[in-house]
Amino acid sequence: MRKLGTIDLEILHLAINENGTFNENNLENSELKRLGVGKILDSLAILKDRKMISLNNNGSFSITEFAREILWSKNIPKWARILRLLQIKSCNMEQISDILKIPKLEASEEVEKLRKSQFVLMSPQRQEEKIVKVFEILPEGVEEIDKTETEGFDKIKFGDIKPEIEILSRVDEIIKEIQNTHLEQTKKDTIIKKLSELKNKLEI
């Protein structure tokens, strides 16, 4: 896959939100302005050199088809676009749906399929006094999405996951949730210890 950084992603996402073309005003009114003019210009120049955006006669920029194919092509399965996105940054469900322009219900179904296949992990994180489910790609997910570069998207089969693997994954998620609670550390340690012991007994 053509590698993207988080700033590259923000710029291309802005282009997608603006129907493919954005200008200086769009940049100024976006969160990208926090980077400063110099950093934005550098990032635009790099994207232009990589053929991911083009400069128009009126000074605006347009996303290229070459760049659209990374995350926004309908020729690429939704699950693959999600894995590609999570290679760039961990995201919550709202971000996945918004960035990839996939309806939230469909995105949720795809992520659950990936989670059950041990390609992504859900990590509860505290954000503004709320616990938010954040999804990150696992090494197995990186391996699978990298395979698609040479093998295509049809070779990957999402089969049934063994019950014990599903249970171990759930235990890991519960441990992460406990770590993000307001419980006293001693209580956290006690609960996590018990869950870890349970996990060890389950592992085959």
Side-chain angles (χ1 to χ4, degrees):
M1 186 188 79
R2 301 148 202 142
K3 300 299 181 184
L4 294 177
T6 54
I7 296 174
D8 301 328
L9 175 62
E10 278 192 74
I11 293 173
L12 296 179
H13 182 219
L14 174 64
I16 292 295
N17 283 342
E18 298 296 334
N19 295 318
T21 298
F22 63 97
N23 56 31
E24 184 179 344
N25 289 333
N26 299 133
L27 288 166
E28 180 62 27
N29 292 324
S30 74
E31 292 186 6
L32 283 160
K33 66 180 179 181
R34 74 186 186 282
L35 301 173
V37 176
K39 181 64 175 176
I40 291 175
L41 290 176
D42 287 344
S43 299
L44 291 173
I46 292 170
L47 284 172
K48 184 173 177 293
D49 288 343
R50 296 177 65 193
K51 312 295 185 187
M52 292 189 179
I53 60 173
S54 59
L55 177 62
N56 302 314
N57 292 332
N58 63 0
S60 64
F61 293 91
S62 294
I63 187 172
T64 64
E65 286 304 313
F66 179 74
R68 282 183 186 272
E69 289 175 3
I70 302 173
L71 296 173
W72 297 282
S73 173
K74 292 184 179 179
N75 296 324
I76 298 173
K78 294 182 182 71
W79 63 262
R81 291 160 58 194
I82 291 170
L83 285 181
R84 285 183 173 185
L85 172 60
L86 296 181
Q87 272 189 296
I88 302 169
K89 60 178 288 189
S90 298
C91 297
N92 60 40
M93 191 58 67
E94 295 283 351
Q95 291 170 320
I96 292 171
S97 175
D98 174 53
I99 293 172
L100 298 179
K101 305 307 176 192
I102 297 173
K104 192 174 178 181
L105 179 59
E106 292 180 25
S108 180
E109 291 172 350
E110 294 294 323
V111 169
E112 182 63 12
K113 179 170 66 176
L114 292 168
R115 191 190 65 77
K116 286 185 175 181
S117 296
Q118 301 291 293
F119 293 158
V120 304
L121 176 69
M122 187 281 288
S123 301
Q125 293 183 12
R126 186 172 297 281
Q127 297 178 1
E128 298 179 356
E129 297 305 312
K130 293 182 180 178
I131 297 296
V132 178
K133 294 180 179 180
V134 176
F135 299 92
E136 55 187 285
I137 193 168
L138 291 169
E140 293 81 2
V142 174
E143 182 180 341
E144 289 301 321
I145 196 61
D146 285 348
K147 279 183 187 177
T148 64
E149 295 296 309
T150 54
E151 299 179 5
F153 301 103
D154 298 330
K155 295 284 183 72
I156 296 178
K157 303 297 181 185
F158 296 96
D160 294 329
I161 306 302
K162 293 181 179 180
E164 63 270 17
I165 294 178
E166 174 70 4
I167 292 170
L168 291 174
S169 176
R170 288 292 187 183
V171 172
D172 285 335
E173 290 178 6
I174 293 169
I175 288 174
K176 283 183 174 287
E177 286 184 22
I178 291 168
Q179 289 170 338
N180 282 281
T181 65
H182 287 304
L183 288 173
E184 293 179 6
Q185 189 60 46
T186 52
K187 288 185 178 180
K188 286 185 186 181
D189 293 341
T190 300
I191 297 170
I192 290 172
K193 181 181 178 182
K194 289 179 180 178
L195 286 169
S196 296
E197 289 172 354
L198 175 62
K199 182 180 172 183
N200 290 335
K201 289 180 181 179
L202 288 169
E203 290 204 61
I204 296 175

